[in-house]
């Protein structure tokens, strides 16, 4: 474990993840980070947080997530840029 926090059951996992990632980033100051997350984490808020903090990430998502972007893909394995818009 690089960073762990025990919190109440109803805690917001995304907010806890942000805190954990900032601590890991501080620990590995000049190192590049690649964060890998499971479903449940993709949200505009957390994606913007990672982008603003220069953190690269991979997120597994539900099949229906970003369906338009997936339809535009030319192969099953390519980078996709998602433009984040403020609500």
């Amino acid at each position: 474990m690089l960073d762990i926090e025990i919190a109440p059951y109803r805690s917001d996992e995304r907010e806890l993840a942000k805190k954990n990632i900032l601590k890991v980033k501080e620990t590995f100051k000049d190192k590049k980070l690649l964060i890998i997350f499971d479903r449940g984490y993709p949200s505009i808020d957390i994606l913007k947080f990672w982008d603003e903090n220069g953190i690269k990430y991979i997120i597994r998502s539900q099949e229906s997530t970003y369906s338009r972007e997936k339809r535009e893909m030319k192969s099953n394995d390519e980078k996709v840029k998602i433009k984040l818009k403020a609500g």
Side-chain angles (χ1 to χ4, degrees), residues 35-49:
I35 306 297
I36 302 172
F37 273 96
D38 202 4
R39 296 176 202 204
Y41 285 93
S43 72
I44 298 299
D45 178 57
I46 203 160
L47 297 176
K48 287 177 74 173
F49 171 81

Side-chain angles (χ1 to χ4, degrees), residues 25-63:
K25 187 175 177 184
E26 183 179 314
T27 301
F28 294 96
K29 295 179 185 356
D30 297 325
K31 303 286 184 192
K32 293 181 182 180
L33 296 178
L34 174 63
I35 306 297
I36 302 172
F37 273 96
D38 202 4
R39 296 176 202 204
Y41 285 93
S43 72
I44 298 299
D45 178 57
I46 203 160
L47 297 176
K48 287 177 74 173
F49 171 81
W50 290 335
D51 285 343
E52 289 166 358
N53 285 282
I55 297 168
K56 302 293 183 186
Y57 50 88
I58 297 172
I59 306 174
R60 189 172 82 116
S61 62
Q62 295 178 349
E63 190 173 338

